[in-house]
Amino acid sequence: MIPQTTNQGFVMTEAGTPGVAYGLRGVTVDDTRICKIIGEEGRLYYYGYNILELAERCTYEEVVWLLLHGKLPNKTELAQITKDLKDARGLPFGVRDVIKSAPKTSIPMDVLRTAASALALTDPAPNDNSPEGIVRKAIRLIAQFPEIVAMDYRLRRGEEPVAPNPELDHAANFLYMLHGKAPGKDAARTMDVALVLHAEHSFNASTFTARVIAATLSDMYSAITGAIGALKGPLHGGANEGVIMTLLEIREPANIKPWLEKKFQDKGFRLMGFGHAVYKTLDPRAIVLKKYSKKTGEERGTTKWYEMSDQIEGIMKGREKPLYPNVDFYSASTYYMMGLPPEIYTPIFAVSRVVGWCAHVIEQQAHNKLIRPAANYIGEVDKPFVPMDQR
Ligand code: ACO
């Protein structure tokens, strides 16, 4: 029986066996306790806690504990994770050398991917997959990602890297290392909220990549390095950079409509920051980031990029087939107003998401099954071999 296949998702053949699920849509591959998304209703939970509440009431450090341990930290545990993350700061010389030696033509996501891999070479026990070993590696990666991104950022601008500030928490220290001065309270909180919102998102492309690697019982560094490669793509985390490039290209509110009309004449056109494989309505993270885009714009004296984003959202929602903003849409104008350049938006995403990836590596290896899907072979078989001189 030939399977009925479709590129819209999972189908059954007439015989009742599974057909091809292009892009694995609709296929459930494992159990998880980490994250729940209700795509039709635009709801997202980390270990059962609603993202809207976490964004309003938690710090990134609390979310790190939640994702690594499955429960919100009490005061002692929060003090412990805050200390552990600070203690794990300080890039090894080997990794600093890797960053310094990157050609100026390289892009920041490639430097982050290479530096993440190099972290394994400076870890005395990179392949320790014991419960303690795996959490230690997770904390090391989470602590050092901001330093990698900030060091690369400053070197590209011809500036000296800035050492971490032990007085500052994760988000504030990240901004401090980027800009070379301690951020104001509002900027630190905006970055903290952005990190909370991007920390985890179930079996998305980069997380699934991490789980596939983890499922071979490979090490945490390999899984995270692979995940960075997946996040880089413009259909995944790379979209936030695409959003700001779009806004800068449109330039003025008056250009929005003609720009969109012209672009949508091309059937294959994808507007960055819109649509989602799981959400069929507004992404809850976009609701929060929209507020921060407006607030940050007001603080910086121009809400132009926020307003343009809002207008684009309105047009896209009003189309025959409505499309809604995803997490990348309003993070772009928020970061831009914070004085951050487009090329580090996807690395900032990774600075946050690394904790989600680590949580999934831990969960995968705790109840492991090698991930090995089947393929629908559409070529021929038993072809007569053709000797070289007859080809
Ligand atoms: N712009 C224009 N059309 C779109 C967009 C978009 N951003 N997103 C979806 N569509 C259209 C498709 O063309 C398709 O139309 P059709 O049915 O007429 O062919 C329909 O909506 C459904 O699209 P699919 O490709 O089936 O949706 P899918 O779930 O595969 O795509 C994806 C999800 C890849 C995120 C898509 O919406 C997209 O390309 N968005 C732009 C890139 C982006 O913002 N990515 C970030 C996602 S969030 C994240 O990864 C962190």
Side-chain angles (χ1 to χ4, degrees):
M1 186 84 53
I2 297 170
Q4 289 175 358
T5 58
T6 161
N7 60 6
Q8 298 307 310
F10 182 76
V11 288
M12 302 298 276
T13 64
E14 282 170 31
T17 52
V20 178
Y22 292 99
L24 290 180
R25 293 298 190 285
V27 178
T28 303
V29 296
D30 211 335
D31 300 322
T32 184
R33 292 181 186 280
I34 302 172
C35 181
K36 167 87 177 158
I37 306 168
I38 306 178
E40 301 73 30
E41 297 169 24
R43 286 201 270 155
L44 166 62
Y45 301 90
Y46 298 170
Y47 271 106
Y49 296 101
N50 191 309
I51 191 65
L52 298 177
E53 208 167 359
L54 293 175
E56 197 180 314
R57 302 177 67 172
C58 270
T59 61
Y60 184 69
E61 281 84 345
E62 284 175 88
V63 167
V64 168
W65 183 278
L66 173 66
L67 292 173
L68 295 184
H69 298 283
K71 63 191 257 311
L72 283 170
N74 60 29
K75 274 189 184 160
T76 314
E77 290 160 340
L78 178 59
Q80 185 63 52
I81 190 71
T82 305
K83 180 177 182 307
D84 288 348
L85 284 168
K86 287 184 178 176
D87 289 350
R89 289 176 186 169
L91 274 182
F93 285 112
V95 180
R96 297 171 77 89
D97 289 344
V98 165
I99 300 169
K100 281 183 193 159
S101 63
K104 291 286 164 279
T105 48
S106 60
I107 62 167
M109 276 303 272
D110 290 344
V111 175
L112 177 61
R113 190 194 58 231
T114 308
S117 183
L119 277 175
L121 307 181
T122 54
D123 186 327
N127 297 304
D128 175 6
N129 283 353
S130 66
E132 302 75 34
I134 207 163
V135 169
R136 179 191 62 77
K137 285 184 282 184
I139 288 172
R140 186 170 185 251
L141 281 154
I142 298 162
Q144 302 207 345
F145 265 35
E147 279 184 64
I148 296 170
V149 173
M151 180 175 175
D152 179 42
Y153 169 78
R154 289 186 68 85
L155 289 175
R156 281 169 196 278
R157 296 157 58 94
E159 294 168 343
E160 275 301 306
V162 172
N165 181 341
E167 300 298 315
L168 298 176
D169 287 342
H170 202 72
N173 180 56
F174 182 31
L175 287 172
Y176 169 76
M177 291 188 297
L178 286 167
H179 295 312
K181 59 178 195 289
K185 233 173 122 195
D186 287 335
R189 180 62 190 146
T190 302
M191 179 54 75
D192 199 33
V193 170
L195 295 182
V196 167
L197 292 172
H198 286 84
E200 164 54 16
H201 211 235
S202 191
F203 282 41
N204 57 81
S206 54
T207 303
F208 188 59
T209 304
R211 286 191 78 123
V212 170
I213 296 171
T216 69
L217 298 185
S218 183
D219 71 299
M220 179 76 93
Y221 294 104
S222 300
I224 302 308
T225 304
I228 296 170
L231 186 73
K232 175 188 163 188
L235 294 189
H236 191 12
N240 54 12
E241 188 178 335
V243 172
I244 198 66
M245 299 322 265
T246 300
L247 290 172
L248 293 173
E249 192 182 317
I250 296 176
R251 236 177 31 251
E252 294 298 332
N255 301 335
I256 293 174
K257 269 198 171 160
W259 190 92
L260 285 174
E261 274 165 22
K262 186 158 176 266
K263 290 286 181 186
F264 273 106
Q265 280 168 10
D266 170 5
K267 281 255 170 288
F269 172 68
R270 295 280 170 136
L271 184 63
M272 294 293 115
F274 279 85
H276 200 277
V278 183
Y279 295 115
K280 297 305 160 208
T281 180
L282 198 57
D283 180 333
R285 301 165 299 175
I287 300 174
V288 180
L289 285 164
K290 184 172 181 175
K291 282 191 221 151
Y292 278 89
S293 168
K294 183 164 190 266
K295 188 169 168 290
T296 312
E298 283 165 355
E299 281 156 17
R300 298 294 167 117
T302 172
T303 50
K304 173 180 165 179
W305 306 109
Y306 160 75
E307 278 157 20
M308 282 175 63
S309 304
D310 184 46
Q311 280 183 39
I312 295 171
E313 180 186 343
I315 293 172
M316 296 301 287
K317 278 181 179 166
R319 283 170 57 88
E320 197 186 328
K321 275 191 193 170
L323 279 171
Y324 300 91
N326 57 49
V327 67
D328 289 323
F329 191 59
Y330 284 103
S331 63
S333 48
T334 306
Y335 296 154
Y336 196 65
M337 282 293 93
M338 290 171 81
L340 299 165
E343 67 274 14
I344 66 161
Y345 296 0
T346 315
I348 294 173
F349 195 146
V351 161
S352 164
R353 182 57 59 82
V354 62
V355 63
W357 294 331
C358 290
H360 279 272
V361 170
I362 293 169
E363 187 180 67
Q364 180 65 42
Q365 292 189 334
H367 307 279
N368 194 50
K369 173 94 180 159
L370 181 76
I371 298 171
R372 201 329 185 164
N376 179 36
Y377 177 65
I378 54 170
E380 298 168 58
V381 292
D382 289 336
K383 287 164 81 177
F385 183 78
V386 186
M388 183 63 81
D389 58 357
Q390 292 171 32
R391 288 178 210 163

